[in-house]
Amino acid sequence: MSARPEPHVFAAAFVALAVFIGSWALLHVGFYRHKQVLDTPVYQRYGDAIVRGKVPYRDFAVEYPPGALPMFALPGLAEPGNGQDVTTGFRHVFETLMWLCGSVALLSMAVVLHAVRASRLHTWGGLLFAALSPLAIGSVLLSRYDLWPAALVVGSLAAFVAGRLRVGSGVLGAAISAKLFPAVLVPLAVAYVWRRVGRREALVCLGTICAAVAVVFAPFVALSPSGVWESLHGQLTRPLQIESLGAALLIAAHHAFGHPVTMETSHGSQNLAGHAAHDFAIALTVLQGLALLLVWTFFARSRGTRDQLVLTSAACLVAFVAFGKVLSPQFLIWLTPVVPLVRGRRGLRASALLGVALVLTQIWFPFRYWEYANHFQPTASWLVLTRDVLLVGLFVLLVKPRLRERARSS
């Protein structure tokens, strides 16, 4: 691998950034502006409280980990809301931060594609897919902070494949501090370093990940351990959210066989209540754990190449999303900068499946979300189920070749 990226990588990254800017601008016009379901009012309340000198977790409850706080505090500093829903200044600064995160993610993708010696077609296709993905997933991108942890994840992956192992470990720790889902990549990162450098460096990198998380969490734990615990406990004990695979199956049974379902709002989302929903939530959690364990085991037994790290990272993130008991629309944002990095026909098919899943999500969210949540509107219900099944298919597509390779090696 040459130290300097080839000209086509620079060109593809430049064009992708321009396309991303255009996509971002289009999210502010036409039907994208209609019926938006916003999280920015919640973020603004956090930002306003921080600007007034209140301490998160101690003086007011925060749903998200401490690494997310800069995304709320910086827009609050720009223009406090004074209790309003969303001021022009706050939203403008927040969207600017998310646009910057998306740009960083694209540049990190270019680094990964260069490091794995992706073909010209793959480089251009992967970057343009990510650049156009805002138009596929829609306005949810503007009012969720998920581009921040997504950018950190792909930035960490770029550092690992470029040989900056300790830097990648620190960035991965920061990603976990921003939103907990990147923790599923820790076993892959440690195994990758172990295979390439050895056990000692792997332990150093694991320590770096833990140290990065501790640095972010420690001040708030010291000031309010109960507040931080309540935030984490609230995330880990969420019920079966209505867009998850388990909920979609129960709602499909409701339409097909008259199975009773009940929606209740809690934990900041709409969920299904009852014994069946509780059982499905447990089953999904077990299935999610088994899927992750499967991917971790395959990677640990592999040669641990850059390509395999990219592939299994995508598979882990898809497993976490597809089999989670919570599947909010913004979770698909985590996949858009990683899945297109997978090489070959498998990568092309994976990107196609993800693209369809993004579009299907936008068809009902936000336009039909409340009809689905409150009345289980049939068309939206079947669309949700189709999207969830596609995500399961995406996971199988990413994992199945690993099974074949293992069979051949045996």
Side-chain angles (χ1 to χ4, degrees):
M1 183 185 71
S2 59
R4 184 180 179 183
E6 297 181 12
H8 77 272
V9 178
F10 281 116
F14 178 81
V15 172
L17 283 174
V19 172
F20 180 68
I21 293 172
S23 299
W24 194 269
L26 288 175
L27 289 180
H28 296 81
V29 299
F31 67 90
Y32 288 111
R33 301 177 59 185
H34 300 158
K35 296 185 178 181
Q36 294 184 356
V37 179
L38 305 175
D39 274 8
T40 36
V42 177
Y43 302 164
Q44 186 174 12
R45 289 197 294 271
Y46 296 155
D48 291 348
I50 294 171
V51 170
R52 292 196 298 267
K54 293 187 177 182
V55 178
Y57 307 103
R58 187 191 70 181
D59 300 330
F60 63 96
V62 179
E63 180 181 351
Y64 307 103
L69 295 176
M71 298 300 105
F72 314 145
L74 292 175
L77 289 170
E79 184 173 334
N82 299 317
Q84 307 174 83
D85 277 346
V86 182
T87 65
T88 301
F90 183 95
R91 187 168 184 180
H92 175 73
V93 175
F94 176 80
E95 290 185 7
T96 300
L97 288 173
M98 292 303 100
W99 174 84
L100 290 173
C101 289
S103 300
V104 170
L106 281 172
L107 294 176
S108 299
M109 288 179 66
V111 173
V112 175
L113 290 166
H114 171 64
V116 300
R117 299 181 180 180
S119 66
R120 291 174 183 265
L121 181 61
H122 182 199
T123 300
W124 280 90
L127 290 174
L128 288 177
F129 177 92
L132 289 168
S133 64
L135 301 180
I137 195 171
S139 62
V140 65
L141 201 70
L142 300 176
S143 63
R144 305 298 192 277
Y145 83 96
D146 293 81
L147 275 173
W148 167 233
L152 290 172
V153 164
V154 72
S156 171
L157 189 59
F160 277 115
V161 298
R164 306 292 184 178
L165 305 179
R166 297 186 184 183
V167 173
S169 300
V171 177
L172 181 56
I176 296 169
S177 301
K179 205 154 191 175
L180 300 179
F181 77 89
V184 303
L185 302 179
V186 172
L188 300 181
V190 174
Y192 179 76
V193 177
W194 194 315
R195 278 298 180 93
R196 298 187 72 85
V197 185
R199 181 179 64 179
R200 183 179 181 277
E201 186 64 20
L203 293 176
V204 170
C205 288
L206 177 59
T208 302
I209 294 172
C210 296
V213 175
V215 165
V216 178
F217 271 83
F220 300 99
V221 172
L223 291 170
S224 179
S226 62
V228 175
W229 168 248
E230 285 299 322
S231 174
L232 295 175
H233 183 263
Q235 290 296 310
L236 296 174
T237 59
R238 292 181 64 176
L240 190 70
Q241 191 257 354
I242 61 166
E243 293 174 80
S244 66
L245 176 63
L249 289 171
L250 287 174
I251 294 173
H254 167 72
H255 290 301
F257 310 111
H259 178 79
V261 288
T262 303
M263 189 278 286
E264 66 176 17
T265 298
S266 65
H267 296 75
S269 64
Q270 287 64 52
N271 317 293
L272 291 188
H275 294 297
H278 177 71
D279 293 341
F280 267 76
I282 294 175
L284 278 178
T285 301
V286 173
L287 186 59
Q288 183 187 64
L290 291 174
L292 290 170
L293 183 61
L294 181 71
V295 179
W296 295 336
T297 302
F298 286 163
F299 183 76
R301 294 181 177 180
S302 72
R303 292 179 297 159
T305 65
R306 295 184 180 95
D307 281 334
Q308 289 166 336
L309 177 64
V310 170
L311 171 63
T312 50
S313 295
C316 275
L317 294 177
V318 173
F320 188 84
V321 172
F323 301 116
K325 61 181 178 179
V326 179
L327 207 175
S328 298
Q330 61 267 26
F331 288 9
L332 273 68
I333 297 171
W334 310 342
L335 308 181
T336 53
V338 180
V339 170
L341 300 176
V342 178
R343 294 179 67 175
R345 293 182 179 178
R346 173 177 48 201
L348 180 62
R349 292 168 182 168
S351 295
L353 281 178
L354 177 58
V356 174
L358 293 175
V359 173
L360 285 177
T361 300
Q362 185 182 173
I363 291 175
W364 81 79
F365 189 93
F367 308 111
R368 297 178 176 85
Y369 178 73
W370 292 113
E371 287 84 352
Y372 172 63
N374 293 323
H375 309 294
F376 308 119
Q377 199 266 341
T379 300
S381 301
W382 294 114
L383 287 171
V384 172
L385 179 60
T386 302
R387 189 278 311 270
D388 292 350
V389 171
L390 278 178
L391 290 175
V392 174
L394 175 57
F395 173 75
V396 173
L397 175 65
L398 293 173
V399 173
K400 191 175 182 180
R402 304 287 302 145
L403 291 169
R404 289 175 180 172
E405 288 174 17
R406 186 184 179 194
R408 284 198 298 265
S409 65
S410 298

